[in-house]
Amino acid sequence: TGALIPLAEVASVEFTDTPQTISRQNGRYTVTVSAVPTEAERFTAQRDIISGVREINFPVGVSLGQAAQAEMVSEELSSLGIAVLTAILLVFMVMVIQFESIRHSLMVMTCIPFAGIGAFFLMFITGTTVNMVSMLGFLILIGLVVNNGILFVDTTNKYREEMSLYEALIHTGKTRLRPILMITMTTVLAMLPLALGIGSGAEMMQGLGITVIGGLMASTMLALILLPTFYLMIDGNPEKRAEKKIKREEKREKQIAARTQKTKA
């Protein structure tokens, strides 16, 4: 007749839980749980959720996995970590070729841990987490912080041709203090707007500026104080090394002479 009648008049109604859509991934049923984190928890939400879900006892056949986007982020962070290690190795190789000395190259490489201390300290103060943007800042730092060390060690090596090591370190500190501070301050000032998040979309790259500023400032201050100390500790006794070298050559000559006499006999 075209009249409307209640469904309960002709059927038994029951309420049950059922998915609106059924999706599969690699032949298995999948259910995606997603959420929009708050601004304060945008970098730590994933870690907190995963740690919380791991405490849940899932039924047999149910497993936990990350979405494709989260897996992509993890892979990119791993790739950036490999890039940082590769950059450190390449910088070390270039310095060995330039100085023709492993000792001097290792002294310059000590600037990198100094930079890491400052970067992590400033990140802790500002609440910045380790992410892809901050990892890019670490990658940039590797090329920046060694410049001050190269300048200091190279100048000291030149002064050592005319004076003692102690005097060479003092003269290097006096002559290179101003250029090193100028290079550091100009770079810090250039990164300051990025670290403060000034401009449209600058919040996304804020971690890069914070990492570079913290690493540069700490590396400069510590390098000017500790790098001369390391130089004096590692390279401060050239006379002893010369004596050891002479003794090794004399021992080698005696061994060659002994072999020669044995061969003649």
Side-chain angles (χ1 to χ4, degrees):
T1 60
L4 298 178
I5 59 174
L7 184 61
E9 294 290 337
V10 294
S12 299
V13 181
E14 295 181 359
F15 293 94
T16 59
D17 294 331
T18 180
Q20 294 181 348
T21 57
I22 298 176
S23 59
R24 296 174 182 266
Q25 185 175 357
N26 297 327
R28 301 183 63 183
Y29 289 109
T30 60
V31 176
T32 302
V33 180
S34 61
V36 179
T38 61
E39 184 70 18
E41 304 292 336
R42 65 185 187 278
F43 294 123
T44 60
Q46 180 180 350
R47 180 189 60 198
D48 296 338
I49 290 172
I50 292 176
S51 62
V53 171
R54 284 176 179 171
E55 299 177 357
I56 302 175
N57 295 323
F58 291 101
V60 179
V62 179
S63 60
L64 173 68
Q66 295 184 359
Q69 184 177 2
E71 292 180 356
M72 182 180 65
V73 171
S74 300
E75 292 177 358
E76 289 180 354
L77 284 174
S78 301
S79 300
L80 280 174
I82 296 173
V84 169
L85 296 177
T86 305
I88 293 174
L89 178 62
L90 292 175
V91 168
F92 178 73
M93 292 172 61
V94 170
M95 285 189 296
V96 170
I97 296 172
Q98 178 182 355
F99 291 123
E100 297 181 354
S101 173
I102 296 179
R103 295 194 311 273
H104 294 163
S105 302
L106 288 175
M107 281 189 284
V108 176
M109 294 296 290
T110 56
C111 296
I112 296 178
F114 299 159
I117 293 171
F120 281 116
F121 181 72
L122 191 59
M123 288 170 64
F124 175 76
I125 292 176
T126 57
T128 306
T129 59
V130 178
N131 48 56
M132 287 186 291
V133 177
S134 57
M135 288 291 289
L136 284 174
F138 282 111
L139 191 61
I140 296 172
L141 270 179
I142 294 172
L144 290 176
V145 298
V146 296
N147 292 336
N148 296 336
I150 292 173
L151 184 62
F152 191 94
V153 173
D154 185 61
T155 306
T156 304
N157 292 340
K158 292 179 180 178
Y159 280 141
R160 288 190 63 183
E161 299 175 358
E162 305 172 358
M163 58 189 71
S164 65
L165 175 58
Y166 190 75
E167 293 176 346
L169 289 172
I170 293 176
H171 279 76
T172 301
K174 291 180 179 179
T175 56
R176 294 305 182 191
L177 176 61
R178 184 178 178 183
I180 289 175
L181 291 179
M182 288 177 63
I183 293 172
T184 302
M185 291 307 299
T186 52
T187 308
V188 168
L189 291 175
M191 287 289 177
L192 194 58
L194 192 64
L196 295 176
I198 300 174
S200 178
E203 295 83 1
M204 296 180 61
M205 303 298 293
Q206 197 170 2
L208 189 148
I210 293 173
T211 303
V212 173
I213 289 176
L216 268 179
M217 294 181 66
S219 176
T220 302
M221 291 186 292
L222 294 175
L224 289 173
I225 298 172
L226 297 181
L227 191 58
T229 306
F230 291 153
Y231 199 118
L232 196 61
M233 293 172 57
I234 297 174
D235 214 22
N237 295 315
E239 295 81 7
K240 291 184 179 180
R241 286 197 303 273
E243 291 177 2
K244 291 181 181 179
K245 185 177 181 181
I246 292 172
K247 289 181 181 179
R248 286 197 301 268
E249 292 178 354
E250 291 177 352
K251 185 178 180 180
R252 193 181 298 112
E253 290 177 358
K254 290 179 180 179
Q255 291 175 352
I256 293 173
R259 292 196 201 99
T260 305
Q261 290 179 359
K262 187 176 181 180
T263 304
K264 290 181 179 179

